[in-house]
Amino acid sequence: RTTDRRRRVLYQTHVAPPARSTPRARQEAEERRAARGPAGAFGSRVSRHLRARWFSLVPVSRLSISLVVAVLLGVPITLTVLHHLAITWPTLAYAEAIARPLRIDRPDSFAQWWLAMVLAVSAGATELIYLLRRHRRDDFRGHYQLWRLTQVILVLASVHCVVGLVSWMGALLDLAVGDRAVLSGANWIRIGLDVGGTILAMRLAVELYRCRPAFAAMLFAAVFLATSEAASWQVMTVDSVTKSTLVIAAPLLGCSCFFVSATIYLRSLFRQVRGLSAEPTLRERFAHWMEARKEQEEEIDSDFFNESEAVRPSAANLQVRSQPANVASDADDEYEDEPPSKAEK
């Protein structure tokens, strides 16, 4: 049946009059060709977005993603250590001009610049995820729209790092409805953000569950952000300098972990769209390494050096056969009959 269909298609292609080559006709031909092929995980239109130059920045190889993750996690950890030294080391603490940009809680510090930049770049990464995720065939409920909402929240969070939108909008709320004796307008906004952020984090965790490294990074980001909010609502007691440093650096570490999660998930989507073969996981690589070590350490079972039960003949029992005398005399006669060579002459 398949062979007959191919014959009909070839016959119609040669017999039919040549149609005019227009962009619409070529697009319809590509759609028909894609419909005849096997259904993939993504739609055929996803290849249009891959032509953008922004996708060339996606770290595809294992080495590149390892370097990106190392930088994204190394910078906030370094800033956290410098903040701790700026508070506890007297030589650095008394030099206010040097310690000021190292303090994470200062609005004009390196940490605030890094946080605003990470949130802005994370918004760009979620845009690329949205462009690829929307073409997935098995998404019948439209869960890809979650990444558009995440992008808007990241853009607002990036602005909040510099401007302080929560306090500003809280002041506007107090001006509109009046001051409250229990909670101010900023606290009401924070309650809404905490509830909405918890729901968003749960949905993102479900979305990233298939990609385990991204899921793990997302969990770390949620833990850091939850720690910061718990300390701000006085749910957690801060009674030491080290704990205070961790609480102050929690938003910085949480946003960096979220950027790592988005980058890893974008890499996995990009590899699926490109049709690249899946790399072995760390567990599989470790199991293969253990098997190779066991094969090397196994003893070679051989009977070469073992004592055999058969009795070997001694040297005294061996009989040496002597060469017959007539054979030796015949060989001497043949050597004398040969003519002398030029060298001998």
Side-chain angles (χ1 to χ4, degrees):
R1 185 177 179 181
T2 306
T3 306
D4 296 340
R5 184 178 178 278
R6 290 179 179 177
R7 289 175 180 175
R8 289 197 303 270
V9 170
L10 292 174
Y11 179 76
Q12 293 176 2
T13 303
H14 288 283
V15 172
R20 296 180 58 184
S21 179
T22 58
R24 184 176 181 82
R26 289 194 295 269
Q27 181 179 358
E28 292 178 356
E30 291 179 0
E31 292 178 356
R32 290 194 299 269
R33 189 179 299 108
R36 289 195 298 266
F42 295 86
S44 59
R45 295 184 179 180
V46 70
S47 58
R48 300 179 183 177
H49 301 293
L50 294 178
R51 300 172 186 175
R53 296 183 178 180
W54 292 109
F55 284 99
S56 61
L57 301 176
V58 178
V60 180
S61 63
R62 188 183 295 271
L63 178 60
S64 59
I65 191 64
S66 301
L67 293 176
V68 170
V69 171
V71 171
L72 293 178
L73 296 181
V75 172
I77 292 174
T78 304
L79 292 175
T80 303
V81 173
L82 292 177
H83 171 81
H84 187 71
L85 293 177
I87 296 176
T88 57
W89 192 18
T91 305
L92 189 59
Y94 287 115
E96 185 179 357
I98 300 177
R100 177 180 52 81
L102 302 179
R103 298 280 298 271
I104 300 178
D105 53 348
R106 299 278 301 184
D108 53 348
S109 62
F110 294 119
Q112 293 297 323
W113 168 79
W114 173 261
L115 183 59
M117 184 184 66
V118 163
L119 290 173
V121 179
S122 299
T126 53
E127 173 65 20
L128 298 181
I129 293 174
Y130 174 78
L131 293 177
L132 299 180
R133 184 65 176 77
R134 63 184 296 190
H135 294 285
R136 194 171 182 89
R137 296 182 185 273
D138 58 352
D139 190 4
F140 302 105
R141 297 185 179 181
H143 293 300
Y144 66 91
Q145 299 177 0
L146 176 67
W147 294 103
R148 181 66 75 186
L149 177 61
T150 306
Q151 181 186 7
V152 174
I153 293 175
L154 289 173
V155 171
L156 294 177
S158 177
V159 178
H160 170 71
C161 293
V162 182
V163 180
L165 290 179
V166 175
S167 59
W168 180 68
M169 294 179 65
L172 292 178
L173 185 61
D174 291 336
L175 181 63
V177 299
D179 295 338
R180 293 290 185 268
V182 180
L183 291 175
S184 62
N187 290 332
W188 283 108
I189 293 176
R190 286 174 56 192
I191 290 175
L193 291 176
D194 291 343
V195 174
T198 304
I199 298 173
L200 180 62
M202 294 173 63
R203 293 193 61 184
L204 286 175
V206 174
E207 178 75 15
L208 300 175
Y209 182 74
R210 294 181 179 179
C211 185
R212 297 303 175 84
F215 176 72
M218 185 66 195
L219 289 182
F220 279 108
V223 168
F224 282 123
L225 295 177
T227 303
S228 176
E229 288 299 316
S232 63
W233 287 107
Q234 297 182 357
V235 177
M236 184 178 64
T237 304
V238 181
D239 53 359
S240 63
V241 179
T242 304
K243 188 178 293 186
S244 174
T245 302
L246 293 177
V247 169
I248 293 175
L252 181 66
L253 296 172
C255 294
S256 299
C257 289
F258 177 81
F259 189 23
V260 170
S261 176
T263 305
I264 295 175
Y265 187 63
L266 175 61
R267 174 180 178 266
S268 65
L269 288 178
F270 184 80
R271 292 182 65 90
Q272 291 177 10
V273 172
R274 285 295 189 185
L276 302 176
S277 59
E279 298 179 349
T281 60
L282 294 178
R283 182 184 299 178
E284 294 176 354
R285 294 170 66 91
F286 181 75
H288 180 71
W289 179 74
M290 290 297 295
E291 291 179 359
R293 286 290 303 272
K294 289 181 180 179
E295 292 179 358
Q296 292 179 359
E297 293 178 358
E298 286 181 356
E299 297 182 357
I300 301 176
D301 297 335
S302 177
D303 298 335
F304 182 78
F305 297 100
N306 297 337
E307 296 181 359
S308 64
E309 298 179 357
V311 181
R312 296 181 181 180
S314 59
N317 297 333
L318 296 178
Q319 297 179 0
V320 181
R321 297 181 179 180
S322 58
Q323 186 177 7
N326 55 356
V327 176
S329 61
D330 294 342
D332 295 340
D333 296 340
E334 291 179 358
Y335 177 77
E336 292 178 358
D337 294 341
E338 289 182 358
S341 60
K342 296 182 180 181
E344 294 177 355
K345 291 179 180 180

